[in-house]
Amino acid sequence: MMEKIESIKECGGNLNRYVHNSIFCKTKMTFSVYLPPKAQVEKVPALYWLSGLTCTDDNARIKAGAQRYASELGIALIFPDTSPRGDYVPDFKERYDLGQGAGFYVNATQSPWAENYQMYSYITEELPKLIEDNLPILINKKSISGHSMGGHGALICALKNPKMFASVSAFAPICNPTNSPWGKSCFKTYLGEDESKWLQYDATWLIKNGCKVHNILIDQGLSDEFYEKEQLLPENFREACHEKNQSLNLRFQEGYDHSYHFISSFIGEHLSYHAKYLKK
Amino acid sequence: MMEKIESIKECGGNLNRYVHNSIFCKTKMTFSVYLPPKAQVEKVPALYWLSGLTCTDDNARIKAGAQRYASELGIALIFPDTSPRGDYVPDFKERYDLGQGAGFYVNATQSPWAENYQMYSYITEELPKLIEDNLPILINKKSISGHSMGGHGALICALKNPKMFASVSAFAPICNPTNSPWGKSCFKTYLGEDESKWLQYDATWLIKNGCKVHNILIDQGLSDEFYEKEQLLPENFREACHEKNQSLNLRFQEGYDHSYHFISSFIGEHLSYHAKYLKK
């Protein structure tokens, strides 16, 4: 069961916000959905958007500027939260890159995180079923994209479920978290000391170990401070794709940073990319 | 003198933020400018965007989605702050609709506000001169728009300076502040008890008293809570325009609220409208 708590008209469609009690995350979860005008008369395909560190469902819907393209293309946008939340959900308030707002789209195995931090199953199982059962969204017509931690999330969700998603793209994704400071710290906390357990959530490792999708689109700004700090490591991902003949369109964008201003500059191209596959 | 404190690449152009010591506001003022790609090779026209209550220069540049249109059309966007700010600038912290963030684009005459709250002169004199002296912006090629309190600001600035602005538009503007709760309260505080002194900043009164521009575009959502609370009063403005043969395209938009989701739905049409006049 999900409850609609907000509905705002935008670009002829509706930007709705819902809450529901998550079975996997064992807490109340919030998400937003943009339904394009076409959804008033028939079921439409959906693009899942996974946001980055510190974000909720709200950031991308305000800042990315995706709704106008989704409206024109007749695609729904799904904006999940980035972690379980609530007073009884474990957190690490001193750090923005761990705990609430930083679920990293993995299923945690370590105490006390494992109880609620089951974002991988939430995104790939629970949320799509909830949405397809309750909203005018086509089953088996979904794509996935995201930014930074959410770009990592989009890549691993697609690579681990190649039949579930028609297409995948990412903005400045954490491509190789088992080699990045953010990824190492979070994976150790959520998944434990045994690094072999981390690999199933590392896009570069997944490619190296045989996961494959038909194509991947990635945009990476060259003035992105986190790229410079080697948090994102797209070259490692590119190398793995090259080794394994994985089709990849990795575009380095001169002068762009890590912000939503970068995303808004290219979101239209990403929407068009996904539309091509979603409308097949 | 102005100092650039930030520059973010967006849609091929640059979103810059500046600070300067304002002569009129007697404090350090912040503003943002989006320079489209075309500004790298020649001077471009500019659209001034005046934001609403509680906003800074940041809200519209993040939420309105105007940059992609400005990039295509070769128009700069100017995002001023909505009031003077600073520890020594008078404020009314208990209220969002008075003091810092709520300058109402008037020149205050009452103590202690008069010292800093000179937003009308700041917007129509100081800021354009500063910008045209320091940036690749064409002189005498500017238009103005805004939202809510900023829509009021756009209307009065254009009506009082018909030769300065090539065109004017507004989203959900406070059209008749001397008859709205927000306007009455602020005008009394900033301009004193004598209501006759308020009229020069009331768009409806300005039209009734002979101010005229070639055309005005206004969008007003019909599910806007502040429209419902009679803060905006577009009908009064329409009636004054009708009486005085002022050309007005007032569009009531079914289902839209007062938020930036409403603005983002129609900002492209407003940019196209202004481009028509700016490129003459």
Side-chain angles (χ1 to χ4, degrees):
Chain A
M1 285 297 298
M2 54 192 245
E3 184 194 351
K4 181 155 74 176
I5 57 170
E6 188 182 71
S7 183
I8 298 172
K9 191 166 178 182
E10 183 164 11
C11 298
N14 289 290
L15 183 59
N16 298 335
R17 178 171 274 147
Y18 303 91
V19 292
H20 72 117
N21 289 309
S22 166
I23 296 160
F24 279 101
C25 297
K26 295 193 178 64
T27 185
K28 194 172 268 195
M29 295 290 283
T30 303
F31 63 93
S32 288
V33 176
Y34 177 69
L35 291 172
K38 195 178 179 188
Q40 288 156 23
V41 290
E42 60 183 279
K43 289 190 177 189
V44 295
L47 176 66
Y48 285 70
W49 174 270
L50 304 187
S51 287
L53 288 166
T54 77
C55 290
T56 67
D57 65 308
D58 204 34
N59 301 65
R61 60 181 228 157
I62 289 180
K63 298 179 178 180
Q67 282 87 306
R68 73 190 60 185
Y69 298 108
S71 169
E72 285 166 21
L73 295 166
I75 294 173
L77 301 171
I78 317 293
F79 301 106
D81 204 345
T82 56
S83 78
R85 293 182 194 269
D87 293 344
Y88 301 100
V89 172
D91 195 10
F92 208 121
K93 292 199 194 304
E94 302 74 19
R95 286 179 55 182
Y96 73 94
D97 58 349
L98 204 59
Q100 296 189 26
F104 260 83
Y105 305 103
V106 304
N107 287 341
T109 56
Q110 302 301 297
S111 178
W113 311 97
E115 179 77 1
N116 307 99
Y117 284 72
Q118 298 294 317
M119 287 300 288
Y120 176 72
S121 293
Y122 177 73
I123 296 295
T124 56
E125 290 183 51
E126 184 173 9
L127 188 60
K129 174 144 178 43
L130 185 76
I131 282 170
E132 290 160 13
D133 282 351
N134 289 282
L135 294 173
I137 303 290
L138 289 165
I139 297 174
N140 295 331
K141 281 285 180 189
K142 46 184 164 286
S143 292
I144 191 161
S145 186
H147 174 229
S148 195
M149 176 184 75
H152 142 76
L155 291 174
I156 61 165
C157 288
L159 287 168
K160 289 160 77 75
N161 303 277
K163 290 186 181 162
M164 181 182 285
F165 296 103
S167 51
V168 57
S169 78
F171 291 82
I174 304 171
C175 289
N176 187 194
T178 61
N179 281 312
S180 91
W182 276 336
K184 283 181 186 177
S185 164
C186 281
F187 284 10
K188 191 169 166 180
T189 305
Y190 295 147
L191 304 170
E193 299 279 347
D194 178 358
E195 298 189 17
S196 70
K197 299 290 202 302
W198 304 358
L199 298 170
Q200 60 177 312
Y201 297 117
D202 183 302
T204 298
W205 187 87
L206 289 171
I207 292 283
K208 281 187 185 165
N209 280 270
C211 290
K212 196 157 192 149
V213 293
H214 55 76
N215 192 20
I216 300 169
L217 170 63
I218 294 178
D219 275 312
Q220 174 60 59
L222 283 173
S223 296
D224 178 333
E225 62 172 313
F226 301 108
Y227 171 60
E228 289 161 4
K229 287 177 182 160
E230 303 193 333
Q231 293 281 16
L232 310 176
L233 305 169
E235 291 87 354
N236 295 4
F237 188 69
R238 182 174 57 186
E239 198 185 312
C241 288
H242 183 73
E243 270 172 34
K244 292 292 184 173
N245 280 318
Q246 167 63 54
S247 170
L248 167 70
N249 186 8
L250 169 59
R251 311 190 302 185
F252 286 105
Q253 303 286 3
E254 180 79 35
Y256 286 90
D257 69 8
H258 198 71
S259 74
Y260 270 93
H261 299 290
F262 160 58
I263 297 172
S264 83
S265 301
F266 299 102
I267 193 75
E269 293 176 31
H270 283 240
L271 265 286
S272 297
Y273 171 79
H274 291 293
K276 223 169 43 186
Y277 296 100
L278 286 169
K279 295 189 165 180
K280 265 185 184 167
Chain B
M1 285 298 298
M2 55 193 242
E3 184 195 349
K4 181 156 73 176
I5 56 169
E6 187 182 70
S7 183
I8 298 172
K9 190 164 178 184
E10 184 166 9
C11 298
N14 289 290
L15 183 60
N16 297 334
R17 177 172 275 149
Y18 304 91
V19 292
H20 71 117
N21 289 310
S22 166
I23 297 160
F24 279 102
C25 297
K26 295 193 177 64
T27 185
K28 193 172 270 196
M29 296 289 283
T30 303
F31 63 94
S32 288
V33 175
Y34 177 70
L35 291 171
K38 194 179 179 186
Q40 288 156 23
V41 292
E42 60 182 279
K43 291 190 177 190
V44 295
L47 176 66
Y48 285 68
W49 174 270
L50 304 186
S51 287
L53 290 166
T54 76
C55 290
T56 68
D57 66 307
D58 204 33
N59 301 66
R61 62 182 226 155
I62 289 181
K63 299 180 180 181
Q67 282 87 305
R68 71 191 61 187
Y69 298 107
S71 170
E72 286 166 20
L73 294 165
I75 295 173
L77 301 172
I78 317 293
F79 301 105
D81 204 345
T82 56
S83 78
R85 293 182 195 270
D87 293 344
Y88 301 99
V89 171
D91 196 10
F92 207 121
K93 291 199 195 302
E94 301 74 19
R95 285 177 53 181
Y96 74 94
D97 58 349
L98 204 60
Q100 295 188 28
F104 260 82
Y105 305 102
V106 304
N107 287 341
T109 56
Q110 304 300 298
S111 178
W113 311 97
E115 180 76 0
N116 306 99
Y117 284 72
Q118 299 292 318
M119 288 299 289
Y120 176 72
S121 293
Y122 177 73
I123 296 294
T124 56
E125 290 183 52
E126 185 173 9
L127 187 61
K129 176 147 178 38
L130 183 76
I131 282 171
E132 288 159 15
D133 282 351
N134 290 282
L135 294 174
I137 302 290
L138 289 165
I139 297 174
N140 295 330
K141 280 283 180 192
K142 45 184 163 287
S143 293
I144 192 162
S145 186
H147 174 228
S148 194
M149 175 183 78
H152 141 77
L155 290 174
I156 62 165
C157 288
L159 288 168
K160 290 160 77 75
N161 303 279
K163 289 185 181 161
M164 179 181 286
F165 296 103
S167 50
V168 57
S169 76
F171 291 81
I174 303 172
C175 288
N176 188 194
T178 61
N179 281 313
S180 91
W182 276 337
K184 283 182 185 175
S185 164
C186 282
F187 283 10
K188 190 170 167 181
T189 304
Y190 295 148
L191 305 170
E193 299 278 347
D194 179 359
E195 297 188 16
S196 71
K197 298 291 201 306
W198 304 359
L199 297 171
Q200 61 177 311
Y201 296 116
D202 183 302
T204 299
W205 186 88
L206 290 170
I207 292 283
K208 282 188 184 164
N209 280 271
C211 289
K212 196 156 191 148
V213 292
H214 55 77
N215 192 18
I216 301 168
L217 170 63
I218 293 178
D219 275 312
Q220 174 60 58
L222 284 174
S223 296
D224 177 335
E225 62 172 314
F226 301 109
Y227 171 59
E228 289 161 6
K229 286 177 183 160
E230 303 192 334
Q231 293 282 16
L232 310 175
L233 305 168
E235 290 87 353
N236 294 2
F237 188 69
R238 182 173 59 185
E239 196 184 314
C241 288
H242 184 71
E243 270 173 32
K244 292 292 184 173
N245 281 319
Q246 167 64 55
S247 170
L248 167 69
N249 186 7
L250 169 59
R251 310 190 302 184
F252 286 104
Q253 303 287 4
E254 181 79 36
Y256 286 91
D257 69 8
H258 198 71
S259 75
Y260 270 94
H261 298 289
F262 161 57
I263 298 172
S264 83
S265 301
F266 299 102
I267 193 75
E269 292 177 30
H270 283 240
L271 265 286
S272 298
Y273 170 79
H274 291 293
K276 221 168 46 184
Y277 296 100
L278 286 170
K279 295 189 166 182
K280 265 186 184 167

